[in-house]
Structure formats: C-alpha cells, structure tokens
C-alpha cells in the first residue's frame, strides 16, 4: 500500500515536473520524461511500477492510452481536410501498407528479429503518436497544411497500427493450427468495423442526451469518461486492441457533431491528457530492466544492428513511405520532404510493444522480449532526431509559420487600428477581427490583416489559423463582450496573455464584472473604452521608443509628455510585455517602448516648464496635507 502510494506520487511529480521543465527550456517533454523514468527506475531503483501494481499495470496503461486517443480524436474536425484530405487518406491506406512492409523488412534484415516478431513490430511502427506530434507542432509553429496532415496521420494511424499488430499476432498464433491468411484477416477487419460502429453509436448517444438535459452539468465529464472506458473494454472483448479503433471513432464522431455541451469540458479533457501522457511515459520507462537496456549497448553486435535499424527507419523507411504514398498528389515537394522527415513515435508504440512482448514470449518467441527495449530505442531516437531538428528542417524547406509572437485584436476602432499600424511597423503579426464589414473599412484601407466574422463562433477556429497569435486584446465598445472573449480564449492562449480595456473591478462592487472572468486591464491607469476614444479624438497617438544603454527607460519617460501612458514593451525577439493595472514589465536594453501619448509640446523649454509647474503643485499639495511647519525657538 505504501509503495503504491509512493510510486503514484513520484510518477506525478516526475511527469508534471518534466512537462514544466520542457515548457521552460523548449526541450521535447517526452525525452525529459524518459530520462526521469530511467533515472528513478532501473538506474536508482527508487520505484518499480511492475512490482507496485502487479497485474493491474497492463490494464491501467491500456485504459490510459484509450483516453489519450479519444482526446486526440476530439481535436479532429473534417473541415480541416479541405486542403489535406487526399494526403491523409493516402497516408492512412497506401502509407500503412508500404510502411508496414518496409518496417518489417528492416526489423528482420537489419535488427535481426525473427520473421513473426519483425512483421508484428513492422505493423506497430506504422504509428507516429499524437502525444508527441501535437506538442511538437505547437512548439515549432509549422504551416497549417503540413501540420494538419501530421496531426491527422498521428491520430488515425495509432489504432491502425495496433490493428496491424493484432492481425500479425493472430495469424502467427493460428497458423500453427493450419489457419490461412484469408481465415485470419477478414474476421479482424469485421471486428474493427464492429468496434467502430460501437464507438459511433456511443458518440450519437452522447450527442443526443447532453443537449437535452438528460445528464446534469456536473455529471457530464464523469459520464463521458466512463462511456469511453466502457466502449474500449466492450470492443476489446470482441477482439484484442479493437477498443483503440472504437474510442478513436467515438472521439472523431463527437468532434464533428457540433455538440455545444462538449465545449465546457475541453479544458478538463486536455488536463486529463497531460496527466495521462506524463504518467504513462514515466511508468513505462521506469519499468525497464537492465537486460532490456543491455540489448541496446552499441559495443555489442546486437547494439550495432539496432543502431543501423534506427538509421534505416529514419532515412529510408519513413521517406520512402511518404514519397510513394503522395506520388501524384497536389502536395508541394517541400511539404512532402518535411513530412518524410517528421515521424516521432510515442506512448502507443511503447504500450503496444509491451503488451505483445509478453504474448510473444508465451508463444515461445524469444525475440518477443526484445520488443520493449527496441521500442524505447525507436521512441528516443525519433524524438531526439525530429524534436531537435524540426525547426531547422522546417525553415530550410520553407514550411515554418511566423515565429514572431502575434497579437489578435478584437474590435475595429480608430484606437485599435492605430495600435495595429504601430505593431505592423514593428514586424509583429497582427490581425484585427470584427463582425462588421463597415467597421473593418479602416483596416482594409490601411492594408492591415483582418478577419470578418464573429470571433466566438465555433467555425472561426476552422476558418482562421490562430496559431501565430499568442496575445489577445479585446477592445470593442462593449466591456461585457470583451470580458466574454477574454474568458473564452484564456484557457487556449493563457490567462496572463488576454487583455481588455477598463479597470479591473472591485469584488465588493455588485455592478462590476468579476475579475476572474476579465482579461488583464491595459494601461496602469485602467483606461476604459470611453477614455481611449476621447483621447484619440483629442489627437493622442502611439509613440515607439527604443531603449539603449544611453537612452534608458527613465530617459524615455522624461522625453515623453507627462500625461503619456506606457502600453507595452516589444522585446528584440518579438515577445510583448504589457503595462497593466496590476503589473509592470522590466524594461531592458534593446526593448521598444510603445506608449499612448498626447501631441508633443512645441519645445523642450515648454516641457521643462510644465514639469516644474507639476512639481511645484505637488509640493504645495503635500504642504497643505501635512499642515504648517513646526516653529523653532
């Protein structure tokens, strides 16, 4: 009991700690998680998940993988396939067959695995892993089409790879009794179709019951999770690993049924996915034994063969698979070459290999036990190779999106158009969004990128790529609407990166909007929409000032009119730091200061005279407040 509690706590600390360190450093999270698992598992011997959980470990990992695939399926919308649908279809059919054949051939001829094990492993190698691909795409800012193709391939091919492994395993198990390939494969395909129908039926049931109030709001997440687990288990009773097909179909079906009730659970399911990914990687890497790792020692003949196999996988199997699959398609060659390079493997590969390693060993295949160490080698090699080179390759092949952080401005007003012009001059990606074509006239005339539509409409996320925009400013005339926009995008962009005009409300004021819903308040003065519009009409403008060793922040303040208010700092790398009602960024050399200021006085003498008058007024005010000076004897 105590050992299980310690292992659970360690798994959580190491997994989330690795995710946090990856966020801080930009390193691939999965590499850090594998290192943490190796260190606290076989190296230090601090935890042993197999000993702690025993027979429960396998179903725990299996259910975790099922929930991850379901969560990934929820992110797939068929509208994304408008420009990449044919490519995804080719990779899910031709790519699976070619990849399976080449992977099996390399596993047998180069890695030295027996044919039954090599064929099974080749089927598993079809997977690429959404748990690795999606964070990699998010971190690397890849253009929309190649990014969409990689995401769809990762999620669709995960259950496909599992099904390929099941077909291979069942064939070699039953062929000993004289069964033919025709007798084995059709029942597997029928089982997969049946599992898909079960998943689709579950999705229809959820989509019908949730909007009609048949499930109370507080039970929707538990009901959904239990439904996913039940669908997975029931489908697995029909055929091993058919549950992965069922939960993927269920997730994709729900994502395309426009169930508004599911929007409220998106943050929760994303949190569940992060916890499961972290936990499973730590558990599986900590469960390795020294015998499984020793097989990968490059000083041995077996280790050299594994190294050669990994090279073949990276530079032959994947590129040939992509080039054959997309032959004759409309995908440009630079995108094909990028897709041919990026194929990191993740949790599903390791989990399925761990499952079949036990079954192959029970069948009398000694090479079956080698699958665990080999699968980890593939995961580490592909993640290191692709994770640390994806930016370089994407830039070289010109498929990289805009790397400078952009700003999304909601509401087309004279003030926001002027701000957009300043940011555009600073090379920051900027987009003005408004539902009124008339209000967007100024943006169109000045050549500022714009989007005509309602930002809160669910279709917007499919018609508009929000990836380049890491900051949102809601500045429409309606403060409540601005608050709604900030609250909607806070979980996606970050609560500290959504801003709106107006001073943050007082919790004791029953008429004020709750601070927990609002975005951060722009300007230290807490200017609202009315204030900035009035100052705009009085001739106030945005000014930008570059800070240097000779001209620091204090000098910049002296140079500006006294009434000027600081809005934001733009770092040399494009990051933006706003001056808000509650926080002030730390100005640094090289930063560009953007301020909102009245027209400059006519001369330096006038500015000095105004400052002197202001200081005299402050002194007089302080003297009145403190009372008469004490008399001295």
């Amino acid at each position: 009991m105590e050992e299980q509690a310690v292992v659970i706590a360690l798994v959580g600390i190491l997994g989330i700690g690795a995710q946090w360190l990856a966020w801080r450093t930009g390193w691939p999270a999965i590499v850090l998680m594998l290192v943490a698992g190796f260190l606290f598992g076989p190296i230090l011997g601090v935890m042993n998940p197999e000993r702690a959980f025993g027979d429960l470990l396998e179903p725990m990992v299996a259910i975790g993988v099922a929930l991850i695939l379901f969560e990934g399926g929820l992110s797939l919308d068929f509208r994304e396939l408008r420009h990449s649908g044919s490519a995804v279809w080719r990779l899910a059919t031709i790519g699976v067959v070619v990849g399976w054949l080449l992977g099996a051939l390399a596993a047998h001829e180069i890695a030295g695995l027996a044919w039954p094990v090599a064929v099974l492993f080749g089927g598993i190698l079809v997977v690429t892993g959404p748990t690795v691909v999606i964070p990699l795409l998010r971190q690397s800012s890849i253009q929309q089409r190649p990014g969409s193709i990689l995401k769809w391939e990762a999620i669709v091919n995960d259950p496909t790879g599992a099904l390929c492994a099941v077909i291979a395993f069942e064939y070699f198990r039953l062929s000993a009794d004289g069964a033919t390939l025709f007798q084995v494969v059709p029942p597997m395909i029928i089982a997969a179709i049946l599992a898909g129908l079960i998943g689709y039926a579950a999705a229809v049931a959820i989509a019908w019951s949730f909007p009609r109030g048949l499930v109370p709001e507080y039970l929707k997440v538990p009901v959904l999770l239990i439904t996913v687990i039940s669908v997975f288990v029931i489908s697995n009773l029909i055929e091993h690993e058919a549950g992965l097909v069922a939960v993927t179909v269920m997730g994709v079906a729900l994502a395309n049924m426009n169930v508004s009730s599911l929007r409220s659970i998106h943050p929760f399911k994303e949190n569940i996915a992060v916890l499961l990914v972290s936990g499973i990687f730590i558990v599986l890497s900590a469960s390795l034994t020294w015998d499984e790792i020793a097989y990968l020692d490059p000083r041995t003949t077996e280790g050299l063969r594994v190294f050669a196999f990994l090279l073949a996988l990276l530079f032959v199997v994947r590129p040939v698979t992509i080039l054959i699959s997309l032959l004759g398609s409309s995908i440009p060659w630079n995108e094909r070459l990028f897709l041919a390079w990026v194929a990191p493997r993740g949790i599903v590969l390791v989990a399925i290999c761990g499952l079949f390693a036990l079954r192959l060993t029970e069948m009398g295949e000694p090479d079956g036990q080698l699958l665990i160490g080999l699968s980890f080698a593939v995961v580490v090699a592909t993640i290191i190779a692709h994770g640390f080179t994806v930016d370089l390759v994407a830039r070289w092949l010109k498929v990289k999106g805009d790397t400078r952080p952009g700003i999304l401005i909601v509401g087309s007003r004279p003030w926001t158009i002027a701000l957009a012009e300043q940011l555009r001059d600073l090379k920051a990606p900027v987009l003005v969004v408004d539902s009124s074509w008339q209000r967007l006239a100024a943006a169109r005339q000045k050549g500022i990128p714009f989007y005509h539509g309602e930002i809160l409409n669910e279709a917007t996320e499919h018609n508009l790529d929000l990836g380049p925009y890491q900051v949102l400013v809601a500045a429409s005339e309606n403060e409540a609407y601005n608050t709604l926009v900030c609250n909607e995008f806070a979980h996606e962009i970050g609560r500290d990166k959504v801003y709106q005009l107006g001073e943050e409300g007082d919790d004791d004021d029953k008429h004020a909007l709750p601070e927990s819903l609002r975005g951060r308040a722009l300007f230290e003065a807490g200017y609202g929409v009315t204030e900035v519009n009035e100052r705009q009409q009085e001739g106030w403008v945005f000014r930008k000032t570059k800070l240097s060793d000779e001209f620091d922040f204090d000098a910049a303040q002296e140079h500006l009119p006294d009434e000027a208010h600081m809005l934001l700092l733009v770092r040399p790398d494009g990051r933006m730091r706003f001056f808000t009602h509650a926080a002030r960024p730390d100005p640094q050399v090289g930063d560009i200061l953007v301020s909102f200021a009245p027209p400059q006085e006519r001369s330096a003498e006038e500015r000095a005279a105004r400052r002197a008058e202001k200081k005299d007024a402050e002194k007089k005010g302080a003297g009145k407040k403190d009372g008469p000076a004490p008399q001295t004897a």
Side-chain angles (χ1 to χ4, degrees):
M1 179 69 177
E2 289 185 3
E3 183 182 11
Q4 293 171 340
V6 169
V7 170
I8 291 173
L10 275 175
V11 166
I13 293 171
L14 295 175
I16 301 303
Q19 294 269 15
W20 179 84
L21 188 60
W23 169 72
R24 292 292 297 177
T25 62
W27 296 347
I30 189 172
V31 173
L32 297 175
M33 288 187 283
L34 289 175
V35 170
F38 285 144
L39 182 63
F40 283 80
I43 295 178
L44 298 178
V46 175
M47 63 176 179
N48 188 331
E50 287 189 343
R51 184 181 63 207
F53 299 111
D55 294 338
L56 286 176
L57 183 60
E58 182 180 322
M60 286 168 56
V61 171
I63 289 175
V65 171
L67 290 172
I68 290 170
L69 282 180
F70 170 74
E71 192 273 339
L74 280 177
S75 66
L76 297 182
D77 193 291
F78 289 135
R79 283 172 287 192
E80 293 182 5
L81 297 179
R82 287 175 298 177
H83 305 296
S84 58
S86 62
V88 173
W89 174 250
R90 286 166 174 260
L91 292 178
T93 53
I94 302 172
V96 167
V97 175
V98 175
W100 189 359
L101 293 175
L102 293 178
L105 186 63
H108 175 70
E109 297 295 336
I110 302 177
L113 297 180
W115 268 119
V117 182
V119 172
L120 187 146
F121 190 51
I124 302 174
L125 287 176
V126 167
V127 308
T128 52
T131 58
V132 194
V133 170
I134 293 175
L136 195 66
L137 295 175
R138 186 184 302 122
Q139 177 181 328
S140 304
S141 182
I142 305 300
Q143 290 178 4
Q144 187 173 8
R145 180 167 53 192
S148 177
I149 293 173
L150 286 173
K151 182 176 73 170
W152 272 85
E153 180 199 18
I155 296 176
V156 171
N157 279 6
D158 261 11
T160 304
L163 186 61
C164 291
V166 172
I167 291 174
F169 176 79
E170 291 298 321
Y171 172 72
F172 288 117
R173 182 175 67 86
L174 297 176
S175 61
D177 299 328
T180 64
L181 190 63
F182 181 77
Q183 291 173 316
V184 174
V185 174
M188 298 290 115
I189 296 177
I190 293 173
I193 293 174
L194 185 58
L197 292 175
I198 292 174
Y200 183 78
V204 171
I206 293 292
W208 183 83
S209 60
F210 276 23
R212 287 168 173 77
L214 299 180
V215 179
E217 199 67 32
Y218 74 96
L219 282 181
K220 284 182 178 178
V221 170
V223 167
L224 188 61
L225 289 178
I226 293 303
T227 303
V228 173
I229 294 173
S230 301
V231 165
F232 174 72
V233 172
I234 292 171
S235 300
N236 272 356
L237 293 177
I238 299 173
E239 183 58 57
H240 291 299
E241 309 312 316
L244 296 180
V245 177
V247 296
T248 303
V249 170
M250 180 179 173
V252 175
L254 276 175
N256 292 275
M257 288 181 179
N258 297 322
V259 183
S260 58
S261 304
L262 294 179
R263 290 180 64 85
S264 60
I265 71 167
H266 278 191
F268 178 81
K269 59 100 174 171
E270 290 171 358
N271 293 335
I272 287 291
V274 170
L275 290 171
L276 289 173
V277 168
S278 305
I280 291 176
F281 265 110
I282 295 294
V283 165
L284 292 177
S285 57
S287 300
L288 283 173
T289 65
W290 282 110
D291 292 337
E292 294 162 350
I293 300 175
Y295 170 68
L296 308 175
D297 189 348
R299 295 171 296 181
T300 64
T301 303
E302 292 81 4
L304 288 175
R305 299 188 73 166
V306 170
F307 182 73
F309 167 74
L310 295 175
L311 291 178
L313 191 65
L314 290 170
F315 297 102
V316 179
V317 176
R318 174 66 177 182
V320 172
T321 299
I322 292 296
L323 295 179
I324 291 178
S325 301
L326 299 182
L327 194 63
S329 71
S330 60
I331 303 299
W333 275 100
N334 62 327
E335 295 183 13
R336 296 190 205 187
L337 294 175
F338 178 75
L339 297 172
W341 172 243
V342 179
R345 270 65 170 191
I347 282 179
V348 176
L349 175 72
V350 176
I352 296 175
C353 283
L355 174 66
F356 283 105
L358 299 175
R359 297 179 181 175
L360 287 169
T361 303
E362 293 172 357
M363 282 177 55
E365 287 288 349
D367 286 354
Q369 198 60 31
L370 302 178
L371 285 184
I372 299 178
L374 193 57
S375 65
F376 271 102
V378 171
V379 168
V380 173
T382 55
I383 288 174
I384 291 178
H386 301 140
F388 288 105
T389 63
V390 63
D391 277 332
L392 180 64
V393 174
R395 194 175 294 111
W396 179 57
L397 293 173
K398 295 181 173 55
V399 298
K400 191 167 179 62
D402 204 321
T403 57
R404 290 178 69 85
I407 180 169
L408 188 69
I409 301 176
V410 180
S412 180
R413 299 291 184 276
W415 183 81
T416 59
I417 297 301
L419 174 61
E421 284 189 285
Q422 286 291 325
L423 294 174
R424 183 184 60 179
D425 293 342
L426 294 174
K427 309 302 182 186
V430 61
L431 183 73
V432 177
V433 180
D434 202 299
S435 58
S436 170
W437 183 253
Q438 183 178 2
R439 287 196 296 264
L440 286 169
R444 300 198 308 271
Q445 292 169 2
K446 296 180 181 295
I448 297 172
F450 66 91
Y451 176 79
H452 178 219
E454 173 54 61
I455 190 67
L456 295 176
N457 192 323
E458 189 174 354
T460 298
E461 62 183 280
H462 305 293
N463 299 325
L464 178 65
D465 181 17
L466 299 177
Y469 308 105
Q470 282 81 48
V471 175
L472 180 143
V473 172
S476 74
E477 295 288 347
N478 190 324
E479 186 181 2
Y481 175 80
N482 296 337
T483 299
L484 182 62
V485 171
C486 288
N487 191 57
E488 177 70 18
F489 285 88
H491 77 277
E492 182 176 345
I493 296 178
R495 176 65 64 178
D496 58 336
K497 294 181 180 179
V498 291
Y499 301 89
Q500 69 180 97
L501 292 167
E503 188 173 354
E504 295 179 3
D506 186 353
D507 290 337
D508 296 330
D509 184 0
K510 64 180 181 180
H511 301 292
L513 291 166
E515 184 179 342
S516 59
L517 300 180
R518 289 177 50 91
R520 299 295 173 90
L522 290 174
F523 295 113
E524 292 178 305
Y527 281 163
V529 176
T530 303
E531 287 85 357
V532 296
N533 286 341
E534 289 176 352
R535 284 160 176 77
Q536 183 90 18
Q537 294 172 0
E538 293 170 3
W540 284 46
V541 294
F542 287 101
R543 304 184 189 278
K544 53 180 182 289
T545 309
K546 187 169 184 177
L547 305 182
S548 62
D549 291 324
E550 297 77 18
F551 196 76
D552 59 9
F553 182 67
D554 292 333
Q557 285 184 304
E558 288 288 324
H559 181 73
L560 291 169
D562 297 325
E563 297 88 349
H565 287 277
M566 310 302 169
L567 178 60
L568 72 136
L569 291 171
V570 180
R571 305 290 192 199
D573 60 359
R575 289 177 300 151
M576 303 176 200
R577 296 292 181 266
F578 283 79
F579 292 83
T580 70
H581 183 66
R584 166 181 282 204
D586 180 27
Q588 301 172 4
V589 173
D591 291 349
I592 296 178
L593 174 67
V594 178
S595 58
F596 190 48
Q600 289 276 24
E601 286 85 1
R602 296 176 183 176
S603 65
E605 290 77 8
E606 290 186 17
R607 291 198 300 270
R610 288 194 61 178
R611 290 195 184 95
E613 291 175 4
K614 185 177 180 180
K615 289 180 180 179
D616 290 340
E618 290 175 351
K619 288 180 181 179
K620 291 178 181 178
K624 292 178 181 179
K625 182 178 180 180
D626 296 336
Q631 299 293 322
T632 56

